[in-house]
Amino acid sequence: MRALIQRVTQARVVVDGATVGEINRGLLVLLGITHEDTPAQAQWLADKVASLRVFADGEGKMNRDVSEAGGAVLIVSQFTLYGDARKGRRPSFVQAAGPEKAIPLYEAFINGIKALGIPTATGRFGAMMQVELVNDGPVTLLVDSK
């Protein structure tokens, strides 16, 4: 699994003109899933995302996780994180898991974040989405479960 994590002051996902997920301060997580991923990796990645100390403490140092900062997490499925653009001009997405594999792991990741008591919003798996965000910092991290 891959998570592209962005610290945001606000973010939302729009599908067909309607907002389906929205947060204020927190983390936007674009989540990619590949064929070899497991439920254990989904839980590991959820724990990792939740515990990342990327929010400022009283001294301005990145020392607080999303929960300590009073933030939320917006999770958006993003199969293109497994796109391979090394050859040609059209990316290959053969490393991205299909819906039958990806949906249960996407849901396991969401449930892992929710189980930690963090307010959580999501996009809509498989939908054409518009993701709007204000990146704070900017802070952007790529975390891979392998």
Side-chain angles (χ1 to χ4, degrees):
M1 294 183 122
R2 285 185 183 147
L4 183 67
I5 304 155
Q6 299 183 24
R7 186 179 71 186
V8 298
T9 57
Q10 62 186 36
R12 74 180 187 137
V13 178
V14 176
V15 176
D16 294 329
T19 299
V20 297
E22 184 171 20
I23 63 169
N24 288 313
R25 183 176 192 201
L27 299 173
L28 169 63
V29 178
L30 303 177
L31 185 68
I33 299 166
T34 192
H35 305 285
E36 296 85 28
D37 290 333
T38 65
Q41 288 173 308
Q43 186 60 56
W44 178 88
L45 191 57
D47 292 340
K48 180 63 131 178
V49 167
S51 65
L52 284 172
R53 297 182 341 174
V54 296
F55 291 90
D57 63 14
E59 297 175 8
K61 295 182 181 179
M62 288 199 293
N63 240 353
R64 292 189 175 155
D65 63 32
V66 67
S67 185
E68 293 168 330
V73 177
L74 175 58
I75 304 163
V76 178
S77 62
Q78 187 75 44
F79 77 93
T80 61
L81 286 176
Y82 278 99
D84 184 351
R86 291 177 292 179
K87 295 180 183 176
R89 296 181 297 156
R90 183 180 312 194
S92 168
F93 299 106
V94 298
Q95 292 303 311
E100 65 286 343
K101 170 85 176 187
I103 289 172
L105 292 174
Y106 171 70
E107 291 172 351
F109 178 82
I110 293 166
N111 291 333
I113 296 290
K114 286 181 177 179
L116 297 169
I118 300 169
T120 306
T122 66
R124 188 173 298 152
F125 189 95
M128 188 61 125
M129 298 175 274
Q130 287 76 50
V131 180
E132 301 172 3
L133 68 132
V134 177
N135 194 320
D136 183 24
V139 172
T140 303
L141 299 167
L142 180 61
V143 177
D144 200 310
S145 66
K146 295 192 189 277

